[in-house]
Amino acid sequence: MKQLETYSFFFDESSHDRKVTNTEKGINIYIEGNNDLFVGVFWGINSQFEDEYRHRYLDFDKFGKDLLGLSEDKELKGTTIRKSNFKSGISSFNKNTVDIYNRFFDLIDNNIILHITLYSKTEFLITNYFTSIIFPRDIIISKRAFIYSIIKFLFNYRRIELLEKIFSTEALSTKEFLIELMTMLEEVISKIKNVKRKKFELSALSELLLILRLSDINSSAQEKFEWDYQIIFDGFKLLLAELKINPKRVNLVLDQEGTGKILNTANIQGFNNVIELDSEIDPCVRISDFLSNFINRLSLAMYDSLKEQKFDDPESFDYESKHLLNTEWFDFKTDKQFLLYKKIHKILSERKNIYWTSYCGIYFDYQIILFSLINYIGEHKDLNSFKKYSPEIHVEHFNTYCAQKFQQKFLQFK
């Protein structure tokens, strides 16, 4: 009898908050420098090739340490690369950073199975708040679309003080958050009625306000929200099902997290062959570390670049302007910077027929924007053809490219 193939998968995460809480500095996930996204990366290989990739990573590790002048006993991790390199994406990478990531992405060939989770912490908060909601019977409502609309509104009109109302040390209903949310919706709706580019948003917000008024919403206050690690495995299990890989044939190695909660969740989700190892011990875990940190840094730079102004006053808020990536994101100083986008684009293209290569929960905006950037740049033949248009033109072209991707996603979402 032919022996069934087994697969080795390795997991690590970036931008990891074990709990979401309201501190003296504000809600911890929104403190300057923090990413709204929880980024998790699984990579896997047929187990018979595991040692080959372990040795390949060690070759890369030596290359990176030699390049950066690190001693042998110092671990080369994603955080070794300075965050400032990511200010404008790959176009702001210095020479060493480009060379390191260029060599790193050579490891990700088409034998490797990838799964990337990009999960919004704001979604985690809002989903928890609206756990118990009863919609009006006479209106057909998608709860996913309802949650998405609220998160989208909170991103477009940032008022952290509003979200702080979700947290309380008292065992009382958090009606204050709901009341202020509806008041804020009313304010925005009244201000965008004559803003042409807000036509579709006006309709969506009016519908959202009506649903909130008519729904029965009960929510208990919490001082903090303990992170739920099931989201990590929701998407991963969908990938395994798509590839027809039984979880019992998966040997899963998790980066040692400290509390054992990810390991326990993996067991509950049906993964029996699972262990935790420090990335210093297993080089294969370091591949997940490096990749999750890259995605975290890149998505955080986009998040910071596209972040809307704070909604402090409905009268002075700028409803007209579009927030776009600045021109520096498309202003390449070297061919190597451009070619690194091309290399990552090739990795994504090789997996375009594997739907669950990435997973994002309900709020999909940054998944769309992140992968659209890589694909938009990567689809150009070479740097000369890319530079036929100015960075200013690329900003507008990329915005249109993203809008088309959003439209496609919305059709699936409905």
Side-chain angles (χ1 to χ4, degrees):
M1 180 182 291
K2 183 181 178 182
Q3 186 174 2
L4 291 174
E5 292 179 323
T6 62
Y7 294 84
S8 297
F9 278 88
F10 304 86
F11 174 83
D12 201 358
E13 83 291 315
S14 288
S15 187
H16 176 201
D17 297 281
R18 290 183 173 85
K19 60 186 177 183
V20 183
T21 186
N22 192 19
T23 70
E24 290 182 1
K25 295 181 180 179
I27 302 174
N28 63 330
I29 61 175
Y30 301 123
I31 293 172
E32 192 69 28
N34 284 0
N35 197 346
D36 179 69
L37 292 176
F38 170 93
V39 179
V41 170
F42 290 93
W43 79 272
I45 194 74
N46 188 306
S47 295
Q48 65 178 312
F49 301 118
E50 181 181 327
D51 282 341
E52 176 189 335
Y53 284 83
R54 186 169 281 112
H55 290 305
R56 287 177 63 180
Y57 181 83
L58 288 173
D59 288 341
F60 160 74
D61 187 73
K62 184 179 185 307
F63 167 82
K65 286 179 179 178
D66 289 345
L67 187 65
L68 297 177
L70 300 178
S71 60
E72 185 59 35
D73 61 336
K74 184 131 178 138
E75 187 178 4
L76 176 66
K77 300 188 67 171
T79 51
T80 307
I81 309 298
R82 289 186 178 181
K83 194 192 316 187
S84 58
N85 278 281
F86 287 83
K87 183 179 179 182
S88 302
I90 293 174
S91 68
S92 52
F93 279 11
N94 64 31
K95 182 182 182 303
N96 283 351
T97 302
V98 171
D99 288 345
I100 284 173
Y101 280 114
N102 185 55
R103 183 72 173 262
F104 171 76
F105 281 107
D106 282 340
L107 295 170
I108 314 297
D109 60 28
N110 56 15
N111 293 316
I112 282 179
I113 302 168
L114 277 182
H115 179 72
I116 301 165
T117 296
L118 300 167
Y119 184 64
S120 168
K121 297 166 191 174
T122 301
E123 177 180 332
F124 173 71
L125 267 184
I126 295 304
T127 303
N128 270 277
Y129 182 85
F130 288 101
T131 298
S132 300
I133 179 169
I134 301 173
F135 294 117
R137 293 181 179 179
D138 55 342
I139 305 177
I140 299 173
I141 298 167
S142 161
K143 187 172 182 180
R144 283 173 55 83
F146 168 78
I147 294 293
Y148 175 86
S149 297
I150 291 176
I151 299 167
K152 184 76 171 179
F153 175 72
L154 293 171
F155 268 98
N156 285 346
Y157 305 94
R158 294 190 307 124
R159 184 184 273 173
I160 303 303
E161 295 80 8
L162 170 64
L163 284 163
E164 288 175 351
K165 305 295 182 183
I166 290 178
F167 300 86
S168 176
T169 56
E170 301 175 8
L172 299 173
S173 167
T174 50
K175 289 292 183 184
E176 192 176 354
F177 167 75
L178 190 59
I179 292 167
E180 289 198 20
L181 174 62
M182 289 193 287
T183 299
M184 190 172 160
L185 276 163
E186 291 168 352
E187 291 172 343
V188 171
I189 288 168
S190 69
K191 295 297 179 184
I192 65 174
K193 283 182 177 178
N194 298 315
V195 180
K196 187 175 181 181
R197 79 178 191 90
K198 297 281 188 177
K199 178 182 176 182
F200 294 109
E201 182 182 324
L202 175 63
S203 174
L205 295 186
S206 299
E207 183 178 339
L208 177 60
L209 180 59
L210 177 65
I211 292 169
L212 286 169
R213 284 172 173 166
L214 297 177
S215 298
D216 183 11
I217 302 167
N218 294 300
S219 181
S220 299
Q222 293 187 46
E223 186 177 359
K224 60 185 177 181
F225 295 83
E226 298 289 342
W227 192 255
D228 184 358
Y229 293 100
Q230 182 174 326
I231 190 70
I232 295 172
F233 298 98
D234 286 346
F236 184 49
K237 288 173 71 175
L238 288 168
L239 172 77
L240 295 179
E242 180 181 2
L243 298 178
K244 296 180 171 55
I245 298 175
N246 190 318
K248 293 179 180 178
R249 289 160 46 207
V250 170
N251 299 314
L252 184 56
V253 182
L254 309 172
D255 181 48
Q256 197 160 34
E257 171 264 333
T259 67
K261 288 185 177 180
I262 300 180
L263 176 64
N264 291 338
T265 306
N267 291 148
I268 292 169
Q269 294 298 308
F271 295 94
N272 300 319
N273 303 314
V274 53
I275 59 172
E276 283 187 322
L277 283 178
D278 193 293
S279 59
E280 289 188 35
I281 296 173
D282 193 339
C284 288
V285 176
R286 270 181 262 167
I287 295 178
S288 295
D289 166 85
F290 226 84
L291 186 52
S292 66
N293 189 272
F294 173 85
I295 295 168
N296 172 47
R297 294 274 181 86
L298 186 58
S299 62
L300 176 58
M302 300 187 83
Y303 173 72
D304 286 339
S305 297
L306 294 170
K307 192 160 51 179
E308 298 283 350
Q309 69 181 99
K310 289 183 179 179
F311 189 84
D312 294 324
D313 177 14
E315 298 299 326
S316 61
F317 188 83
D318 180 4
Y319 299 94
E320 294 280 357
S321 300
K322 294 187 293 184
H323 282 252
L324 307 174
L325 289 179
N326 62 48
T327 56
E328 292 175 3
W329 284 77
F330 305 95
D331 188 10
F332 295 104
K333 306 299 188 296
T334 70
D335 198 54
K336 280 187 175 182
Q337 293 169 338
F338 175 81
L339 291 175
L340 182 53
Y341 271 117
K342 292 279 290 181
K343 182 171 289 189
I344 300 169
H345 168 66
K346 181 175 182 291
I347 289 169
L348 294 179
S349 297
E350 289 170 347
R351 292 157 178 81
K352 65 182 179 181
N353 294 323
I354 306 175
Y355 185 83
W356 293 114
T357 292
S358 67
Y359 179 78
C360 63
I362 295 171
Y363 188 67
F364 51 75
D365 285 32
Y366 277 88
Q367 180 197 52
I368 295 285
I369 297 168
L370 176 66
F371 293 135
S372 290
L373 177 73
I374 294 167
N375 291 330
Y376 171 77
I377 295 172
E379 286 169 7
H380 287 79
K381 181 181 178 182
D382 52 40
L383 186 56
N384 285 334
S385 62
F386 186 85
K387 286 193 169 184
K388 286 181 180 178
Y389 298 97
S390 68
E392 289 79 10
I393 296 296
H394 279 300
V395 168
E396 293 297 334
H397 284 182
F398 175 65
N399 186 54
T400 302
Y401 184 92
C402 270
Q404 293 170 346
K405 297 299 180 183
F406 272 106
Q407 188 175 20
Q408 294 169 9
K409 187 71 176 182
F410 278 125
L411 291 174
Q412 298 172 4
F413 193 68
K414 296 285 185 182

